[in-house]
Amino acid sequence: CAVGIESTIVDLSAGTPRILRPGALSLAALAQVLGQPVMVASGSAASQVASPRVSGSLAAHYAPRIPLRLVAGAALIETLQQVTRDGRRCFVLAHGVPLPASLPAGASWQGMAPDAAGYAHDLYTRLRQADQGSFDLILVEQVSATDETWRAVADRLARAACGSGNAEQGRDAGSS
């Protein structure tokens, strides 16, 4: 699809609009269209496990079959070297850290778009690509969870990391 990740879901039933699931539409864009401030729904993913209000709100959602670990950009190369030293094959998604001059044996490096929209567009394609390979781990350079433009991507990565490597336990229906 053109966006890549699922759509924004907004609750308009309680007066003040609240984002239940972040997507491509930002708080600012929604506020402009609605003519009023938009809030982000509070509540931990853990509290939604028994009965999620919206699709995609479980702690684990669309997670790859192999484990996924979020890593700060400054630690990405070092973590990759540690993982591959142990003989594990690693698939890396990076958006700010440049491709190193030489990759360790067993590593595959995928550069992601430096902007949130481009990253979101390719995210699930790259996670499926990793799942189709013979990798032991997916390392993902963390994105900003505080930058509004990256909110939806950070949300999906956190959910993918939470559910990765687990069977179907705790996943939303339709997980890949």
Side-chain angles (χ1 to χ4, degrees):
C1 77
V3 175
I5 60 173
E6 306 88 353
S7 58
T8 307
I9 297 178
V10 181
D11 177 2
L12 300 171
S13 67
T16 302
R18 294 181 318 131
I19 292 181
L20 300 178
R21 180 179 73 193
L25 297 176
S26 69
L27 286 171
L30 288 167
Q32 182 178 11
V33 168
L34 297 171
Q36 62 181 312
V38 178
M39 308 299 291
V40 176
S42 60
S44 68
S47 67
Q48 298 181 29
V49 170
S51 58
R53 183 162 179 206
V54 297
S55 174
S57 63
L58 291 176
H61 181 69
Y62 288 109
R65 289 186 306 271
I66 60 176
L68 183 150
R69 185 185 315 165
L70 298 172
V71 180
L76 187 62
I77 302 292
E78 181 182 338
T79 304
L80 173 62
Q81 291 170 340
Q82 289 172 350
V83 167
T84 55
R85 242 190 318 260
D86 296 340
R88 294 186 286 171
R89 294 183 37 83
C90 190
F91 189 90
V92 179
L93 296 180
H95 71 283
V97 175
L99 174 67
S102 65
L103 279 177
S108 176
W109 188 278
Q110 294 295 315
M112 298 293 285
D115 63 292
Y119 194 112
H121 180 268
D122 294 342
L123 176 60
Y124 291 137
T125 300
R126 295 293 174 243
L127 292 179
R128 286 186 182 95
Q129 182 182 3
D131 259 347
Q132 292 171 357
S134 56
F135 298 100
D136 301 304
L137 179 66
I138 302 170
L139 291 180
V140 178
E141 178 185 356
Q142 288 179 325
V143 300
S144 173
T146 58
D147 181 337
E148 171 60 29
T149 60
W150 285 92
R151 181 186 307 270
V153 172
D155 175 79
R156 296 322 187 283
L157 286 173
R159 293 175 195 281
C162 181
S164 68
N166 298 328
E168 293 302 316
Q169 182 180 4
R171 286 192 180 172
D172 283 352
S175 297
S176 63

